[in-house]
């Protein structure tokens, strides 16, 4: 009896995790980022956009307790498992994966600190510069970085309006990138 009960709970939690992660990935893969805003449609470009959306999710749940805190941790674990899996799909061997994972984790946490700082200071220029530096490091001037910064600000507000109870039950939405104007 206990096994059945706990088995159902684990399945329900897994379904919530998968639903939230799928929504984060879908937001990160919005076509406009790659087709109109010149985010590189490469493994690294996709990592940058997924990292950005994972940051927005984590930023929304920061300071929450209980189930929200647990969901935030499970989703960050899921994110890094997905990155690990992607490296392996790209042909990185067992020996090279830990080294690259360490580098990507350092990149992720460095970016989240920069984005968080700019958002907390409400500095559009700082956020734009951080996004340009991370998403298009070799591009020089990237005009669309301002559009992406507007999207991030809009997404933060959009996520803040969603009740925590809804999020921890598996429902999360991000704004459409095309709705953000410069």
């Amino acid at each position: 009896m206990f096994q059945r009960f706990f088995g159902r709970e684990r399945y329900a939690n897994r379904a919530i995790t998968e639903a939230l992660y799928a929504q984060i990935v879908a937001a990160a893969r919005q076509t406009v980022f790659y087709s109109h805003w010149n985010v590189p449609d490469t493994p690294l470009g996709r990592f940058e956009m997924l990292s950005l959306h994972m940051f927005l999710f984590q930023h929304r749940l920061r300071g929450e307790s209980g189930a929200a805190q647990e969901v935030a941790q499970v989703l960050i674990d899921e994110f890094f498992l997905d990155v690990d899996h992607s490296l392996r799909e790209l042909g990185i061997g067992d020996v090279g994966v830990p080294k690259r994972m360490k580098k990507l984790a350092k990149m992720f946490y460095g970016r989240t600190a920069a984005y968080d700082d700019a958002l907390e200071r409400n500095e559009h220029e700082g956020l734009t510069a951080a996004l340009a530096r991370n998403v298009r490091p070799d591009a020089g001037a990237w005009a669309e970085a301002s559009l992406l910064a507007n999207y991030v600000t809009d997404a933060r507000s959009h996520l803040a309006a969603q009740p925590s109870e809804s999020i921890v039950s598996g429902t999360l939405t991000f704004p459409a990138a095309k709705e953000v104007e410069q």
Side-chain angles (χ1 to χ4, degrees):
M1 179 172 156
F2 287 117
Q3 191 174 25
R4 262 192 317 201
F5 175 73
F6 289 115
R8 282 188 206 139
E9 183 177 317
R10 192 173 331 144
Y11 178 76
N13 290 341
R14 186 72 196 150
I16 289 168
T17 299
E18 288 175 0
L20 290 172
Y21 194 69
Q23 292 165 52
I24 292 167
V25 169
R29 292 295 294 150
Q30 291 183 67
T31 306
V32 72
F33 295 140
Y34 307 94
S35 65
H36 291 76
W37 294 359
N38 294 315
V39 170
D41 195 5
T42 62
L44 192 54
R46 292 187 294 271
F47 170 79
E48 292 296 344
M49 295 311 293
L50 185 54
S51 294
L52 177 62
H53 285 82
M54 185 56 65
F55 158 73
L56 287 164
F57 176 79
Q58 296 290 317
H59 185 80
R60 166 59 184 86
L61 294 182
R62 186 176 56 200
E64 302 262 344
S65 60
Q69 185 179 38
E70 291 173 28
V71 166
Q73 183 59 54
V74 168
L75 262 289
I76 201 72
D77 293 345
E78 186 71 21
F79 167 69
F80 282 111
L81 282 171
D82 189 30
V83 170
D84 180 282
H85 179 74
S86 295
L87 288 173
R88 292 175 192 282
E89 282 186 342
L90 289 170
I92 309 297
D94 289 341
V95 174
V97 168
K99 183 173 142 182
R100 286 195 172 81
M101 284 299 296
K102 185 176 181 180
K103 181 179 179 181
L104 290 170
K106 185 177 178 181
M107 288 169 58
F108 173 77
Y109 287 112
R111 283 150 174 69
T112 61
Y115 302 154
D116 189 53
D117 183 57
L119 284 175
E120 292 304 314
R121 294 173 186 250
N122 203 22
E123 290 181 354
H124 181 76
E125 295 81 21
L127 181 58
T128 300
L131 290 164
R133 184 173 57 247
N134 295 319
V135 177
R136 300 284 314 248
D138 300 327
W142 177 37
E144 295 84 3
S146 183
L147 293 171
L148 187 55
N150 288 342
Y151 170 81
V152 169
T153 303
D154 188 46
R156 178 181 63 167
S157 298
H158 185 88
L159 290 168
Q162 295 175 52
S164 297
E165 299 79 23
S166 177
I167 294 171
V168 300
S169 68
T171 303
L172 177 71
T173 63
F174 285 86
K178 67 182 177 186
E179 295 174 3
V180 179
E181 297 177 11
Q182 193 168 15

